Amino acid sequence: MSSTGSEPTKSPLREIIQPFIDLVHAPRALWGINLAHVIEGMVYFGMLNYLHMYFNEYVHLNDVWASRMVGVLTAGITIAMFFLGFVADKKGVRFAIILAFCLMLIGRLTLAAGPTVGLEAGEAKLAAAPPDPELVTSAPEASAQAATPAASQPASQPAGQAAVGTASTQNIGMGSTLHLAAMVGIVFVLLGYGMYQPGAYAAIRQFTTEKTASMGFAMIYALMNLGIVLTAGFGLVRNAIGISGAYWVFCGFTTVALLCTFFILSKKTVEQAIARVKAENEEIKRARAADPQAPEGTAPPAQAETTERVPAHLWVSMAMLVACVYFIPPPWRSWIWGVIAGVAVVFLVLLPQARVRILAWLAAHPLANTKFFFFIFCLIPVQTLFAHNWLTMPMYVERAYAEGWPWISRYFELSLAVNPLLVFIFVPIVTAVTQKAKVYNMMILGTAVMGAPTFLLALGPSPWTLFPYILIMTLGESMWQPRFLQYAAEIAPEGRTGVYMGVAQFPWFLTKMIVPLYAGIFLSRFCPQTGVINTEPMWLIYGGIAMTSTVLLLLARGWLGKDFKTKAD
C-alpha cells in the first residue's frame, strides 16, 4: 500500500543541503578544531613539499637519500600515532593538541634555523675522505650541473648558489651537523603530529552528533586540503627568500595555530560542547524510539575477533617492520637492530609478567581482527599516490615541465594546489550525496576512480595529462578517504577513538615507509636532475600499483563486504 498520503515527500536537494545546515550549528569547539586544522594543513604539507629539496639544497643528499629522509618524517608520524593515539583519550583532546603544537613548533624552528645560522654542512668533517656516491651527487652529474645554464637550474635553487655535488660541496652528506640538526627537528615534528591527528579526529567524534558526524569528518578532511591550497602562494615566498626563509614563515603560522587552539578551545568550551552533543544525541535516540521508521544512527562498534593467541598476520607485520630497518644507513641500522634485540630480550626473557601482558594486549588489539586488518591493508597500494604527492610530484613537475612548460615548472606549487582545492570542493558535496551508500561499495568505486587516471601521466608530461589526472584522481579520493576515516572512528569503543585512529593509520605508516625506499630511485632513473627525462614508464608502474587496491577489494567482496556494519546498513 502506498504511503504517499501519510508521509511527507523528502526533497533530494534538502537531504543534500541539510548536513551543511546541521554542521553550521555545531558547537564552537568544533570550529576551533577546524580553524587550527586549516592552518596546520598549510604548514605541514607546505614544509613537506619542500623537504626533499631541503635535503638536496642544504644537506646535499641525492634524490635516493633525500627521499628516505622525508620517509623518516612521514613514516615516523604514523608510527607515532600508533603509540601516542591514547594521549587524547587519557588526557583530553585540548591537552593533546596544545602539546602537539608545542612539539611541532620546536621541530620546525630547528629545521628553519639550521641553514639560517650556518650550521656546518659537513665540508670539514668529510674533506679528507672520498665522497660516498650514495650520499652525494656523483662527480659526472656535478660536472653536468656546473655546465648547466642558470636558467635551467631548478627553481628551488637561487641563482649563484653552488650546484649540488660541485667541488665545494661534493663531500657534504649524511652525519653533518646540519643533517643531524634537521633530524632532531623531524623527531619533534613527528612526535607532535603523532598526537595531533588522533586528537583532532577524537575531537570531531566528541563534538558532533549522529546527525553531524558524517559531515564533520568530511569537513575536517576538506579543511585540511583548504590549508594545502594556501601553500600555492608560497612559490613567491620560496623564490624570494629560499626554502629556509619559507620555513620561518611556516613557524609563524604554527604559533598562530597554537594560540587559536589555546584561546578558542578553552576548557569551558570543551565541556559545554560535550554536554551539548550528549543532550542532542539523547534527543535523537528518543525521537528514533518514538518513530520506528526513523533512520538508524551509527551501528554499535564492531567487535574484535575473540582470540587467546596473537594471530599470525600480526607477527608477520611486526617482522616486516623490523626488516625495514635494513634500509637505514649504517651505523644507525646496527644500533636500531641492537635496541630492538635488547628490548625483546628484556621483555620476553627477563620480565615474564610483562611478556604475558604484551601478548594479551596484542591478542586484543583491533588489528587482531583478520577482516579489519585485511581491509585497511588493501588500501596500501592506492595510498601510494598520496605519498607521491610530496615524494615525486614536486620534483616531477619542476623537472619534466622545465623545457616545454617553464612557467608550470617554476611555480610548481600552483599545480600541486589544484588537488587540495578540488578536495575542499568535492568532499562535502560527495559526502552529502553518498551518505546512504555502503562504505565498502564506496571503497571499491573510489579506489578505482583514484587509481585509473595515473595511466594518463604515462602518456608523457603535458598540462593535458597532468590536470585531468589531478581532477579525476581527486574525485576518487573524495569518494573513499573521508568515509574510511569516519568508519575507523565510529567502530571504536567509547573512549578509544584516538587508539583506533592510530591503528587505522598503521598501513599508511607502512606506505610512507616503503614508498620513500623506491621513489628516489625512480626519480633518479626516470626524472633525474640532469640527463634524459623519460617519465612514462614510471607512471605506468605507479598506476598498476594503485589499481591493486581495487582488485583486492573486489576479490574479497564476498568474504569481507558482507560484514560491514555502517549507517547505510
Side-chain angles (χ1 to χ4, degrees), residues 34 36-46 49 193 201 217-232 386 389-390 416-428 450 470 473-474 477-478 481-482 485:
N34 286 338
H37 208 63
V38 172
I39 299 172
E40 178 55 26
M42 177 186 69
V43 174
Y44 173 73
F45 285 98
N49 283 340
Y193 210 90
Y201 278 91
F217 283 104
M219 284 304 298
I220 193 172
Y221 188 75
L223 290 170
M224 176 190 71
N225 281 274
L226 175 61
I228 303 173
V229 172
L230 299 178
T231 65
F386 290 132
N389 281 341
W390 60 81
L416 298 182
V418 174
N419 166 255
L421 175 62
L422 292 175
V423 168
F424 176 69
I425 297 171
F426 286 166
V427 164
M450 181 175 175
I470 294 174
M473 186 270 285
T474 303
E477 175 187 351
S478 303
Q481 179 69 7
L485 295 173

Side-chain angles (χ1 to χ4, degrees), residues 93-130:
V93 295
R94 183 177 187 271
F95 175 89
I97 293 174
I98 289 176
L99 177 58
F101 276 128
C102 290
L103 292 173
M104 289 190 289
L105 180 58
I106 293 171
R108 289 162 181 169
L109 286 171
T110 305
L111 283 165
T116 304
V117 302
L119 288 182
E120 179 192 359
E123 296 96 324
K125 178 179 178 181
L126 300 176

Side-chain angles (χ1 to χ4, degrees), residues 62 103 136 152 162 214 259 265 317 335 379 403 407 419 429 458 519:
N62 66 11
L103 292 173
V136 296
S152 65
S214 179
L259 294 175
L265 204 67
S317 300
W335 295 345
L379 301 175
E403 184 175 344
W407 189 87
N419 166 255
I429 298 173

Side-chain angles (χ1 to χ4, degrees), residues 152-170:
S152 65
Q153 289 182 7
S156 60
Q157 183 170 302
Q161 180 178 311
V164 176
T166 58
S168 64
T169 63
Q170 65 178 344

Side-chain angles (χ1 to χ4, degrees), residues 187-538:
V187 168
F188 275 100
V189 173
L190 68 87
L191 289 175
Y193 210 90
M195 284 185 281
Y196 173 76
Q197 185 154 321
Y201 278 91
I204 296 300
R205 182 174 178 181
Q206 288 184 17
F207 302 155
T208 57
T209 67
E210 293 184 16
K211 291 172 59 178
T212 60
S214 179
M215 189 56 68
F217 283 104
M219 284 304 298
I220 193 172
Y221 188 75
L223 290 170
M224 176 190 71
N225 281 274
L226 175 61
I228 303 173
V229 172
L230 299 178
T231 65
F234 274 82
L236 298 173
V237 176
R238 172 179 55 82
N239 285 317
I241 57 178
I243 291 175
S244 178
Y247 273 20
W248 280 110
V249 177
F250 287 129
C251 289
F253 278 108
T254 304
T255 305
V256 172
L258 171 61
L259 294 175
C260 287
T261 304
F262 185 84
F263 289 108
I264 297 178
L265 204 67
S266 65
K267 292 181 179 179
K268 182 179 179 180
T269 300
V270 171
E271 292 171 356
Q272 290 175 341
I274 293 174
R276 173 180 167 181
V277 168
K278 184 177 179 181
E280 290 183 8
N281 278 333
E282 290 297 327
E283 185 177 340
I284 292 171
K285 290 178 182 178
R286 286 193 297 270
R288 186 183 303 129
D291 182 7
Q293 295 184 351
E296 295 183 2
T298 306
Q303 298 299 317
E305 296 172 355
T306 57
T307 177
E308 297 179 357
R309 304 181 63 181
V310 180
H313 62 260
L314 280 187
W315 290 118
V316 172
S317 300
M318 289 186 286
M320 290 174 61
L321 282 178
V322 175
C324 286
V325 175
Y326 172 79
F327 295 99
I328 297 175
W332 299 343
R333 177 196 308 158
S334 301
W335 295 345
I336 295 174
W337 268 336
V339 170
I340 293 173
V343 170
V345 169
V346 169
F347 281 97
L348 299 182
V349 179
L350 301 181
L351 298 174
Q353 292 300 321
R355 179 180 72 241
V356 172
R357 287 195 296 269
I358 291 173
L359 293 177
W361 178 77
L362 288 172
H365 197 273
L367 288 179
N369 184 316
T370 307
K371 292 186 177 183
F372 181 62
F373 178 93
F374 180 82
F375 169 62
I376 60 177
F377 273 77
C378 274
L379 301 175
I380 287 179
V382 75
Q383 285 186 117
T384 60
L385 296 180
F386 290 132
H388 288 304
N389 281 341
W390 60 81
L391 290 171
T392 302
M393 289 302 289
M395 284 63 66
Y396 164 71
V397 175
E398 184 187 39
R399 299 170 187 177
Y401 289 74
E403 184 175 344
W405 309 89
W407 189 87
I408 294 178
S409 171
R410 181 167 178 79
Y411 295 99
F412 62 86
E413 294 93 344
L414 293 176
S415 59
L416 298 182
V418 174
N419 166 255
L421 175 62
L422 292 175
V423 168
F424 176 69
I425 297 171
F426 286 166
V427 164
I429 298 173
V430 171
T431 300
V433 172
T434 63
Q435 277 191 105
K436 296 182 179 180
K438 293 185 177 182
V439 172
Y440 198 83
N441 292 342
M442 292 299 295
M443 296 296 110
I444 294 175
L445 186 59
T447 54
V449 174
M450 181 175 175
T454 310
F455 296 113
L456 291 174
L457 297 180
L459 300 176
S462 164
W464 316 118
T465 58
L466 177 63
F467 292 107
Y469 159 76
I470 294 174
L471 174 65
I472 302 170
M473 186 270 285
T474 303
L475 179 60
E477 175 187 351
S478 303
M479 293 170 69
W480 75 267
Q481 179 69 7
R483 295 296 296 273
F484 170 66
L485 295 173
Q486 178 190 353
Y487 168 76
E490 289 187 343
I491 66 168
E494 190 68 29
R496 297 193 68 195
T497 305
V499 173
Y500 268 67
M501 288 305 300
V503 169
Q505 296 288 343
F506 187 61
W508 186 213
F509 155 69
L510 291 180
T511 303
K512 292 189 287 187
M513 175 177 281
I514 294 169
V515 175
L517 299 179
Y518 66 81
I521 296 173
F522 273 61
L523 277 173
S524 299
R525 174 79 177 273
F526 299 109
C527 191
Q529 285 182 308
T530 58
V532 178
I533 291 178
N534 179 30
T535 59
E536 289 85 346
M538 177 177 73

